[in-house]
Amino acid sequence: MKRAKWLSVLLTGFFLLQLVACNGGTTGTEQAAPESDPSGLYTVDVYALGRASEPLRKEIEARANAIIRDSCGAQISIHYQGLEESCLQQVKLAVSTGKKVDLFPTFEMGVSVMVNYGLVTPLNDYLSLCGPEIQEEIPPEDWQCVTVNGMICGVPINREKATGRGFIYRKDLAEALGVYEEDLQTMQDLEDLLIKVRDAYPGMYPVVTSSGLARLPLAYDRLGDDLGVLEDSFSDSTEVVNLFETDSYREMVELQWDWAQKGLMMPDGAANTVDEFSMMRAGKGFGHFANVKPDKYGEATRNVGYEIGIFEIVPAYSETTLVSSMWSIGSTSEQPDKAMKVLNEMYTNPELANLLTYGIEGKTYQVLDREQKIIGFPENRDDASLFYSFMTWSWPNELIVNVWQEDPPDVWQQVEAFNREAHPSPARGFVWDNRDVLGEVSACNGVLDAYRNALECGSLDPSVVLPRMNQELKAAGIDKIIQEKQRQLDRWLAAQGR
């Protein structure tokens, strides 16, 4: 996966410019990890997604430390936090109380948000500790997506950096009803299937939410925070608009409301606190809207426990917010140099990457084909003491880990091709800096908190609520945000020669 030497030279120049510009398990939150042990090793506190039983967490930690002690001069303490929102919340809480946070992931939250919350340590002075590996693996245009005001805020996660949008469902149940993947071509085809599910399986919701989120299949470029977007990432238009006034958004929430009236939606889905995979695994949900990518079949089948089908609604596209999922060094890290060394090891060492991603061979997975690096569930997968949630995409570099048996052996090469071939938004690479409109951003987010999820989950009538929400957004200052975002985007486009 090494790139040509010219890329290394280009990246060296890029970093010099940036340096000039910038002078059943445990959550882990209750752990009181020591800052050092008697050997003098610094403890790098790693906040991570997922869950693990406590015995398993300790064993993974011990094995990881055996790998990194000599190369990094440090040890790690892993704090599992569940889903993305919970992880960010715990990081914000820890930083606000002065608690040490060394490494943590962020997902599509907007780079400037991390800066304005004061959560990250700029990496400019520490990337040189990595050697060439990370710098060569990540192209300059991706580093641009995690840089704001000259500060490199994190290392982009090496995974899918593009997305399609679609509907994921229980394939076995659909085929029992005579509907096959190739039969789904339009939203009407999907609705017809959902009606059949409603009638055939009365104890199951045809459409469930993802912990209260609908994840509507729309192709807009979020431009960092959804407050001012490009409506269509496939268009050449760079006009920043209010998403919630667009026809595409209105039509989608109207469809959700219509489906809810037909009994196709999970009632009060915005209040649901259970993730979509758990709902489907428990037989309470048939399907959900989701992102689509090459390894989605394996990922979803792994988590649902049943073979899944995918109806692709929006083709693959890429925008800054998708690329800016990153691993960062916390602003309260006491030794960022040690944290950077550990992050480099997590990113480049396959043995460590597999350990953190999949757990322990023979306990949480078994090797089915060592030559092709194919793995699957072990026989004792129901042992609660060995519980481990597989969140492959959340660790620094999934492209160097083993392949799950439901995925093709070349799945990581497919992901790389997926990233290359996805349609780029005209604003890909633009990073929104909201510091001059923080008051308006906060006020607008308060409005969205009151209406958006319930509206998108089909719980509120859009003919009544959508105009009210837009009126309140205007009063909260969304037009000022859009004007400032357009100004920054136009300046960025001019700098790109466009």
Side-chain angles (χ1 to χ4, degrees):
M1 288 165 53
K2 296 291 183 186
R3 299 180 181 272
K5 289 184 178 178
W6 67 264
L7 180 55
S8 181
V9 173
L10 183 59
L11 276 168
T12 300
F14 175 78
F15 286 119
L16 285 174
L17 286 173
Q18 299 304 323
L19 285 168
V20 170
C22 179
N23 280 348
T26 175
T27 65
T29 54
E30 69 280 5
Q31 294 164 217
E35 295 182 8
S36 61
D37 68 2
S39 68
L41 292 175
Y42 178 74
T43 297
V44 173
D45 286 299
V46 178
Y47 283 62
L49 268 57
R51 302 284 185 189
S53 66
E54 183 59 11
L56 195 61
R57 184 197 67 80
K58 288 182 176 179
E59 186 171 356
I60 291 172
E61 202 172 84
R63 293 190 181 209
N65 287 332
I67 296 171
I68 67 172
R69 273 195 190 96
D70 291 339
S71 59
C72 301
Q75 60 185 8
I76 66 171
S77 177
I78 306 174
H79 306 260
Y80 293 104
Q81 303 294 339
L83 298 177
E84 301 103 296
E85 293 81 3
S86 175
C87 186
L88 181 60
Q89 183 181 22
Q90 290 301 321
V91 168
K92 288 165 63 177
L93 177 63
V95 169
S96 68
T97 57
K99 186 176 180 180
K100 185 165 69 72
V101 176
D102 291 291
L103 293 174
F104 69 98
T106 64
F107 298 92
E108 304 173 17
M109 301 292 182
V111 178
S112 65
V113 173
M114 300 298 107
V115 174
N116 291 328
Y117 276 134
L119 299 181
V120 299
T121 292
L123 303 189
N124 304 62
D125 294 330
Y126 302 106
L127 276 166
S128 60
L129 300 173
C130 297
E133 292 94 343
I134 285 181
Q135 298 179 36
E136 287 186 3
E137 290 292 343
I138 299 172
E141 60 268 24
D142 288 359
W143 285 111
Q144 188 178 41
C145 293
V146 295
T147 302
V148 60
N149 298 322
M151 294 189 300
I152 303 170
C153 299
V155 177
I157 295 177
N158 219 8
R159 59 168 196 162
E160 81 281 355
K161 297 174 183 177
T163 187
R165 305 289 183 186
F167 188 81
I168 291 177
Y169 61 93
R170 286 271 303 271
K171 185 177 181 181
D172 59 328
L173 300 180
E175 292 186 351
L177 296 171
V179 179
Y180 296 85
E181 218 165 336
E182 60 270 21
D183 297 328
L184 298 177
Q185 300 294 325
T186 67
M187 292 299 286
Q188 186 59 56
D189 293 335
L190 177 59
E191 180 176 322
D192 292 342
L193 170 59
L194 297 176
I195 290 172
K196 289 182 178 181
V197 170
R198 178 199 64 190
D199 296 341
Y201 309 107
M204 177 180 292
Y205 303 126
V207 181
V208 296
T209 61
S210 175
S211 301
L213 299 176
R215 304 195 190 282
L216 301 183
L218 297 170
Y220 64 92
D221 184 329
R222 288 164 285 184
L223 298 178
D225 62 4
D226 285 6
L227 297 173
V229 305
L230 302 186
E231 181 179 4
D232 184 1
S233 294
F234 293 91
S235 166
D236 292 332
S237 173
T238 55
E239 180 187 2
V240 181
V241 300
N242 178 0
L243 169 67
F244 311 104
E245 290 183 327
T246 62
D247 289 340
S248 57
Y249 184 84
R250 175 183 52 77
E251 290 167 2
M252 198 65 221
V253 294
E254 286 176 348
L255 179 65
Q256 297 294 89
W257 172 252
D258 180 58
W259 281 3
Q261 305 316 297
K262 294 175 179 175
L264 306 181
M265 301 293 296
M266 178 183 188
D268 201 17
N272 173 38
T273 59
V274 181
D275 70 88
E276 66 274 38
F277 292 142
S278 296
M279 297 284 291
M280 293 172 69
R281 185 169 59 247
K284 295 181 179 179
F286 170 71
H288 64 279
F289 289 113
N291 68 310
V292 176
K293 54 182 181 170
D295 58 323
K296 196 67 179 185
Y297 282 98
E299 176 188 294
T301 298
R302 224 166 25 246
N303 285 286
V304 172
Y306 298 93
E307 190 175 1
I308 58 101
I310 297 177
F311 168 42
E312 183 179 290
I313 300 169
V314 177
Y317 69 97
S318 182
E319 42 107 339
T320 295
T321 318
L322 294 166
V323 182
S324 63
S325 293
M326 61 188 181
W327 273 80
S328 297
I329 297 177
S331 58
T332 52
S333 175
E334 295 171 2
Q335 295 191 30
D337 56 333
K338 294 293 178 63
M340 189 73 250
K341 288 182 178 180
V342 170
L343 180 55
N344 181 65
E345 200 75 13
M346 291 166 65
Y347 201 98
T348 61
N349 186 321
E351 181 184 5
L352 181 61
N354 272 298
L355 176 67
L356 297 174
T357 301
Y358 294 126
I360 298 170
E361 181 182 349
K363 293 187 175 182
T364 57
Y365 72 92
Q366 62 175 327
V367 177
L368 304 177
D369 185 327
R370 201 165 294 277
E371 182 177 348
Q372 295 197 79
K373 300 179 180 179
I374 305 296
I375 63 173
F377 283 116
E379 295 181 0
N380 60 344
R381 59 176 296 188
D382 295 326
D383 186 342
S385 69
L386 299 177
F387 174 79
Y388 194 69
S389 54
F390 300 104
M391 306 189 82
T392 312
W393 48 271
S394 72
W395 293 98
N397 189 359
E398 71 176 7
L399 303 186
I400 63 171
V401 301
N402 293 329
V403 175
W404 206 262
Q405 61 183 337
E406 287 86 5
D407 289 318
D410 66 342
V411 66
W412 303 134
Q413 288 74 33
Q414 290 186 30
V415 169
E416 291 184 289
F418 179 76
N419 291 340
R420 287 193 307 271
E421 297 165 6
H423 184 88
S425 161
R428 189 188 191 277
F430 167 70
V431 177
W432 158 237
D433 182 1
N434 65 7
R435 58 184 166 175
D436 290 337
V437 287
L438 284 176
E440 289 79 7
V441 167
S442 178
C444 287
N445 281 331
V447 174
L448 295 181
D449 287 345
Y451 297 109
R452 184 178 182 180
N453 280 2
L455 188 63
E456 295 181 358
C457 292
S459 301
L460 297 176
D461 184 350
S463 67
V464 175
V465 174
L466 189 55
R468 182 193 310 161
M469 185 175 82
N470 277 312
Q471 184 178 16
E472 293 186 21
L473 284 171
K474 285 186 179 296
I478 194 169
D479 289 337
K480 183 178 179 181
I481 297 171
I482 290 172
Q483 183 180 15
E484 173 61 17
K485 189 174 284 188
Q486 185 75 68
R487 184 187 69 80
Q488 291 185 27
L489 177 59
D490 289 344
R491 185 178 60 190
W492 179 82
L493 289 167
Q496 307 302 308
R498 291 195 268 156

Short mmCIF file of all heavy atoms in Angstrom, two decimals, residues 358 360-370 373-380 390 402-405:
data_model
loop_
_atom_site.label_atom_id
_atom_site.label_comp_id
_atom_site.label_asym_id
_atom_site.label_seq_id
_atom_site.Cartn_x
_atom_site.Cartn_y
_atom_site.Cartn_z
N TYR A 358 -10.59 -7.02 16.53
CA TYR A 358 -11.32 -8.29 16.63
C TYR A 358 -11.18 -9.00 17.97
O TYR A 358 -11.86 -10.00 18.20
CB TYR A 358 -10.83 -9.24 15.53
CG TYR A 358 -11.16 -8.80 14.13
CD1 TYR A 358 -10.17 -8.68 13.15
CD2 TYR A 358 -12.47 -8.49 13.76
CE1 TYR A 358 -10.46 -8.29 11.85
CE2 TYR A 358 -12.78 -8.09 12.46
CZ TYR A 358 -11.77 -8.00 11.52
OH TYR A 358 -12.07 -7.60 10.24
N ILE A 360 -9.35 -11.45 20.59
CA ILE A 360 -8.32 -12.48 20.77
C ILE A 360 -8.68 -13.76 20.01
O ILE A 360 -9.79 -14.30 20.18
CB ILE A 360 -8.14 -12.79 22.27
CG1 ILE A 360 -7.67 -11.50 22.99
CG2 ILE A 360 -7.17 -13.94 22.49
CD1 ILE A 360 -7.68 -11.60 24.48
N GLU A 361 -7.75 -14.21 19.20
CA GLU A 361 -7.96 -15.42 18.43
C GLU A 361 -8.27 -16.59 19.36
O GLU A 361 -7.62 -16.80 20.38
CB GLU A 361 -6.73 -15.75 17.58
CG GLU A 361 -6.89 -17.00 16.74
CD GLU A 361 -5.66 -17.36 15.92
OE1 GLU A 361 -4.73 -16.51 15.85
OE2 GLU A 361 -5.62 -18.47 15.37
N GLY A 362 -9.29 -17.37 18.98
CA GLY A 362 -9.71 -18.52 19.78
C GLY A 362 -10.75 -18.17 20.82
O GLY A 362 -11.37 -19.07 21.40
N LYS A 363 -10.92 -16.88 21.08
CA LYS A 363 -11.92 -16.45 22.07
C LYS A 363 -13.03 -15.62 21.43
O LYS A 363 -14.21 -15.92 21.61
CB LYS A 363 -11.24 -15.65 23.19
CG LYS A 363 -10.31 -16.49 24.04
CD LYS A 363 -9.78 -15.71 25.25
CE LYS A 363 -8.94 -16.62 26.15
NZ LYS A 363 -8.45 -15.89 27.36
N THR A 364 -12.66 -14.59 20.69
CA THR A 364 -13.67 -13.76 20.04
C THR A 364 -13.77 -14.03 18.55
O THR A 364 -14.72 -13.62 17.90
CB THR A 364 -13.37 -12.26 20.26
OG1 THR A 364 -12.06 -11.97 19.78
CG2 THR A 364 -13.45 -11.91 21.74
N TYR A 365 -12.78 -14.71 17.99
CA TYR A 365 -12.82 -15.09 16.58
C TYR A 365 -11.90 -16.29 16.37
O TYR A 365 -11.07 -16.61 17.23
CB TYR A 365 -12.40 -13.93 15.67
CG TYR A 365 -10.92 -13.61 15.72
CD1 TYR A 365 -10.01 -14.20 14.83
CD2 TYR A 365 -10.41 -12.71 16.65
CE1 TYR A 365 -8.65 -13.89 14.88
CE2 TYR A 365 -9.05 -12.40 16.70
CZ TYR A 365 -8.19 -13.00 15.82
OH TYR A 365 -6.85 -12.70 15.86
N GLN A 366 -12.08 -16.96 15.25
CA GLN A 366 -11.17 -18.03 14.86
C GLN A 366 -10.71 -17.80 13.43
O GLN A 366 -11.43 -17.21 12.62
CB GLN A 366 -11.84 -19.39 14.98
CG GLN A 366 -13.05 -19.60 14.07
CD GLN A 366 -13.59 -21.00 14.14
OE1 GLN A 366 -12.84 -21.96 14.33
NE2 GLN A 366 -14.91 -21.15 14.00
N VAL A 367 -9.50 -18.24 13.12
CA VAL A 367 -8.96 -18.11 11.77
C VAL A 367 -9.46 -19.27 10.93
O VAL A 367 -9.26 -20.44 11.28
CB VAL A 367 -7.42 -18.08 11.79
CG1 VAL A 367 -6.87 -18.02 10.37
CG2 VAL A 367 -6.92 -16.88 12.60
N LEU A 368 -10.11 -18.97 9.83
CA LEU A 368 -10.65 -20.00 8.94
C LEU A 368 -9.71 -20.29 7.78
O LEU A 368 -9.67 -21.39 7.25
CB LEU A 368 -12.02 -19.55 8.40
CG LEU A 368 -13.06 -19.21 9.46
CD1 LEU A 368 -14.34 -18.71 8.80
CD2 LEU A 368 -13.36 -20.42 10.33
N ASP A 369 -8.97 -19.27 7.34
CA ASP A 369 -8.01 -19.43 6.24
C ASP A 369 -6.85 -18.49 6.53
O ASP A 369 -6.94 -17.28 6.30
CB ASP A 369 -8.67 -19.08 4.90
CG ASP A 369 -7.77 -19.35 3.70
OD1 ASP A 369 -6.54 -19.21 3.84
OD2 ASP A 369 -8.29 -19.69 2.62
N ARG A 370 -5.77 -19.05 7.07
CA ARG A 370 -4.67 -18.20 7.51
C ARG A 370 -3.97 -17.54 6.32
O ARG A 370 -3.51 -16.40 6.43
CB ARG A 370 -3.66 -19.03 8.32
CG ARG A 370 -2.77 -18.19 9.23
CD ARG A 370 -2.08 -19.03 10.26
NE ARG A 370 -3.00 -19.63 11.22
CZ ARG A 370 -3.47 -19.00 12.29
NH1 ARG A 370 -3.13 -17.76 12.54
NH2 ARG A 370 -4.29 -19.63 13.12
N LYS A 373 -6.18 -14.81 5.31
CA LYS A 373 -6.52 -14.01 6.49
C LYS A 373 -8.04 -13.87 6.67
O LYS A 373 -8.55 -12.80 6.98
CB LYS A 373 -5.87 -12.63 6.40
CG LYS A 373 -4.35 -12.68 6.32
CD LYS A 373 -3.74 -11.30 6.22
CE LYS A 373 -2.22 -11.39 6.12
NZ LYS A 373 -1.59 -10.05 5.99
N ILE A 374 -8.74 -14.99 6.50
CA ILE A 374 -10.19 -15.02 6.67
C ILE A 374 -10.51 -15.51 8.07
O ILE A 374 -9.98 -16.52 8.53
CB ILE A 374 -10.86 -15.96 5.64
CG1 ILE A 374 -10.45 -15.57 4.22
CG2 ILE A 374 -12.37 -15.93 5.81
CD1 ILE A 374 -10.92 -14.21 3.79
N ILE A 375 -11.39 -14.79 8.77
CA ILE A 375 -11.76 -15.18 10.13
C ILE A 375 -13.28 -15.28 10.26
O ILE A 375 -14.03 -14.80 9.40
CB ILE A 375 -11.22 -14.17 11.17
CG1 ILE A 375 -11.83 -12.79 10.95
CG2 ILE A 375 -9.70 -14.10 11.10
CD1 ILE A 375 -11.48 -11.78 12.03
N GLY A 376 -13.72 -15.91 11.35
CA GLY A 376 -15.15 -16.05 11.63
C GLY A 376 -15.37 -16.20 13.13
O GLY A 376 -14.42 -16.15 13.92
N PHE A 377 -16.62 -16.39 13.49
CA PHE A 377 -16.94 -16.53 14.91
C PHE A 377 -16.39 -17.85 15.47
O PHE A 377 -16.37 -18.86 14.77
CB PHE A 377 -18.45 -16.51 15.13
CG PHE A 377 -19.06 -15.15 15.05
CD1 PHE A 377 -19.97 -14.83 14.05
CD2 PHE A 377 -18.74 -14.17 15.98
CE1 PHE A 377 -20.55 -13.57 13.98
CE2 PHE A 377 -19.31 -12.91 15.93
CZ PHE A 377 -20.21 -12.61 14.93
N PRO A 378 -15.96 -17.86 16.73
CA PRO A 378 -15.55 -19.11 17.37
C PRO A 378 -16.77 -19.91 17.80
O PRO A 378 -17.90 -19.39 17.79
CB PRO A 378 -14.75 -18.62 18.58
CG PRO A 378 -15.41 -17.33 18.94
CD PRO A 378 -15.83 -16.71 17.64
N GLU A 379 -16.55 -21.13 18.21
CA GLU A 379 -17.68 -21.97 18.62
C GLU A 379 -18.35 -21.48 19.90
O GLU A 379 -19.54 -21.67 20.10
CB GLU A 379 -17.21 -23.43 18.79
CG GLU A 379 -16.74 -24.08 17.49
CD GLU A 379 -16.31 -25.51 17.69
OE1 GLU A 379 -16.38 -25.99 18.84
OE2 GLU A 379 -15.89 -26.16 16.71
N ASN A 380 -17.58 -20.84 20.78
CA ASN A 380 -18.13 -20.42 22.07
C ASN A 380 -18.57 -18.95 22.04
O ASN A 380 -18.44 -18.22 23.01
CB ASN A 380 -17.09 -20.60 23.17
CG ASN A 380 -15.82 -19.79 22.91
OD1 ASN A 380 -15.60 -19.34 21.79
ND2 ASN A 380 -15.00 -19.61 23.94
N PHE A 390 -17.76 -5.88 17.57
CA PHE A 390 -16.86 -5.66 16.44
C PHE A 390 -17.24 -4.37 15.73
O PHE A 390 -18.28 -4.29 15.08
CB PHE A 390 -16.94 -6.84 15.47
CG PHE A 390 -16.55 -8.15 16.09
CD1 PHE A 390 -17.52 -9.08 16.44
CD2 PHE A 390 -15.22 -8.46 16.34
CE1 PHE A 390 -17.17 -10.29 17.02
CE2 PHE A 390 -14.85 -9.67 16.91
CZ PHE A 390 -15.83 -10.58 17.26
N ASN A 402 -7.60 -8.49 9.37
CA ASN A 402 -8.15 -9.68 8.75
C ASN A 402 -9.51 -9.40 8.11
O ASN A 402 -10.13 -8.36 8.35
CB ASN A 402 -8.29 -10.80 9.78
CG ASN A 402 -6.94 -11.29 10.29
OD1 ASN A 402 -5.95 -11.25 9.57
ND2 ASN A 402 -6.90 -11.72 11.54
N VAL A 403 -9.99 -10.34 7.33
CA VAL A 403 -11.26 -10.21 6.61
C VAL A 403 -12.29 -11.15 7.20
O VAL A 403 -12.00 -12.34 7.39
CB VAL A 403 -11.06 -10.51 5.11
CG1 VAL A 403 -12.39 -10.49 4.37
CG2 VAL A 403 -10.09 -9.51 4.49
N TRP A 404 -13.49 -10.64 7.50
CA TRP A 404 -14.54 -11.49 8.04
C TRP A 404 -15.11 -12.39 6.96
O TRP A 404 -15.13 -12.02 5.79
CB TRP A 404 -15.63 -10.64 8.66
CG TRP A 404 -16.37 -11.38 9.74
CD1 TRP A 404 -17.56 -12.03 9.63
CD2 TRP A 404 -15.92 -11.60 11.08
NE1 TRP A 404 -17.88 -12.64 10.81
CE2 TRP A 404 -16.90 -12.39 11.72
CE3 TRP A 404 -14.78 -11.21 11.79
CZ2 TRP A 404 -16.78 -12.79 13.05
CZ3 TRP A 404 -14.67 -11.60 13.11
CH2 TRP A 404 -15.66 -12.38 13.73
N GLN A 405 -15.54 -13.56 7.34
CA GLN A 405 -15.89 -14.60 6.37
C GLN A 405 -17.02 -14.20 5.43
O GLN A 405 -17.10 -14.71 4.30
CB GLN A 405 -16.27 -15.89 7.10
CG GLN A 405 -17.46 -15.79 8.03
CD GLN A 405 -17.73 -17.09 8.76
OE1 GLN A 405 -17.33 -18.17 8.32
NE2 GLN A 405 -18.40 -17.01 9.89
#
